[in-house]
Amino acid sequence: MHTDATNTDDAAPANETVISVRELVTHYGPRPILKSVELDVRDGEILVIMGGSGSGKSTLLRHMLGLEAPTSGTIRILETDITAGDARALAELRRRIGVAFQSGALFSSMTVVENIVLPLVEHTDLDPVTMKIMARLKLEVVGLAGFEELRPSELSGGMIKRAAFARAIIMDPKILFCDEPSAGLDPAVASAIDDLILDLRAAMGMTVVVVTHELESAFKIADRIAVLDNGQILFVGTVEEVRGHPSERIQNLLNRRPEDDTIDPDAYLDRLTREYGPHPDERRR
């Protein structure tokens, strides 16, 4: 199995990597979720982390955001080791990254502009007037000029996504993380969100990390795709390289073909016994 998750071009400078994941292992109880994941993200690229349900991509994203600690391994973002347990360093790093959450994560009791300025309220000492001016500028960038006084309940799904992007870029981040940005949207709106991601990268020079299971979106926006399956990186490469990869597992994922899920009852019982304790018959002895 070919994995080139840590390879870079020979001519690439050493400082090109802005995110470095090394030997990342995660368990939920006895269950392994991530299995020695290795991944580099290059400065200025759009890297899409793609995988099926339960592949571990959301867990990997939470680790990269510092929301959960892994069992072992390291993650360095912009030269900061976020797995070192340094709360101050992590807080400083969060001034340099933006996050567009899947649901938008807007507060329903606040107007759009009040939602957008929240990172400025938390991380800066700017006066309220300046904050609102900055928020309006970012709303114009994402195509929501004139909607600043509406509440989230008055927005469409696509508008909520755009508002989430405006909040994510309010502090001109070096890296933008996007969690399932086109999920739950109709094809036309999803395509517009893809265009927005491409436009933001071009306009602001950001590195963008996108977690998605939407193949059409991944192929449209990605410079490189990291294919994650069963907690492991199967391959990292360009769209063309991923499309043409000979791995049956990768092709099954791309073509939405189910894996052979035939279950051996004895093997299944043995795995449960090893993971969760002795078989009930044994406990009665």
Side-chain angles (χ1 to χ4, degrees):
M1 179 172 59
H2 174 55
T3 60
D4 68 345
T6 61
N7 291 342
T8 57
D9 297 334
D10 292 340
N15 62 354
E16 188 181 33
T17 298
V18 293
I19 301 176
S20 176
V21 179
R22 291 291 177 270
E23 298 181 0
L24 199 70
V25 175
T26 301
H27 290 82
Y28 289 159
R31 182 185 175 195
I33 303 299
L34 297 178
K35 305 168 185 177
S36 196
V37 168
E38 304 248 339
L39 182 65
D40 284 343
V41 182
R42 301 168 182 169
D43 187 20
E45 77 171 337
I46 297 178
L47 178 82
V48 171
I49 301 173
M50 190 175 70
S53 178
S55 62
K57 60 185 186 297
S58 294
T59 298
L60 177 57
L61 178 62
R62 288 195 294 271
H63 289 325
M64 295 171 83
L65 296 177
L67 300 177
E68 291 183 5
T71 303
S72 61
T74 61
I75 302 174
R76 295 186 67 84
I77 300 180
L78 300 175
E79 300 303 322
T80 298
D81 182 355
I82 68 170
T83 54
D86 187 336
R88 179 171 295 184
L90 182 58
E92 181 62 28
L93 176 66
R94 284 178 174 155
R95 297 167 58 96
R96 305 173 67 195
I97 65 175
V99 186
F101 293 99
Q102 178 177 351
S103 64
L106 303 180
F107 290 95
S108 60
S109 61
M110 296 180 176
T111 64
V112 169
V113 72
E114 289 170 341
N115 271 282
I116 306 310
V117 301
L118 284 176
L120 298 175
V121 173
E122 181 176 356
H123 295 294
T124 76
D125 295 321
L126 295 172
D127 64 89
V129 173
T130 301
M131 291 184 189
K132 286 195 173 184
I133 291 173
M134 293 176 65
R136 288 191 170 97
L137 288 172
K138 290 302 191 286
L139 285 168
E140 185 170 349
V141 168
V142 302
L144 282 184
F147 295 92
E148 48 265 54
E149 298 305 326
L150 296 184
R151 297 191 183 273
S153 61
E154 300 174 286
L155 303 179
S156 67
M159 294 169 73
I160 288 175
K161 298 277 189 178
R162 289 177 180 273
F165 275 103
R167 184 173 61 189
I169 65 172
I170 188 67
M171 295 184 65
D172 296 326
K174 178 70 174 174
I175 303 174
L176 175 64
F177 293 92
C178 308
D179 183 16
E180 299 283 3
S182 57
L185 302 177
D186 67 60
V189 176
S191 180
I193 294 298
D194 293 338
D195 290 338
L196 175 60
I197 292 172
L198 292 168
D199 290 343
L200 290 175
R201 191 269 297 269
M204 303 181 70
M206 297 181 297
T207 301
V208 184
V209 178
V210 178
V211 170
T212 186
H213 67 278
E214 301 285 348
L215 295 177
E216 187 172 348
S217 176
F219 292 155
K220 179 177 179 179
I221 67 176
D223 294 310
R224 293 190 302 148
I225 296 175
V227 182
L228 188 65
D229 181 64
N230 195 29
Q232 297 176 300
I233 297 287
L234 297 185
F235 182 74
V236 181
T238 65
V239 171
E240 292 75 17
E241 289 170 338
V242 171
R243 283 183 184 272
H245 199 279
S247 166
E248 182 179 1
R249 293 170 70 186
I250 291 177
Q251 292 305 316
N252 285 344
L253 177 65
L254 297 185
N255 295 288
R256 299 181 178 178
R257 291 193 298 258
E259 299 282 348
D260 182 6
D261 57 358
T262 302
I263 297 176
D264 181 327
D266 292 334
Y268 179 68
L269 180 60
D270 179 66
R271 180 172 65 81
L272 289 180
T273 300
R274 283 185 282 106
E275 291 186 1
Y276 301 108
H279 187 275
D281 290 342
E282 295 181 2
R283 289 199 293 265
R284 288 195 293 267
R285 293 173 185 171

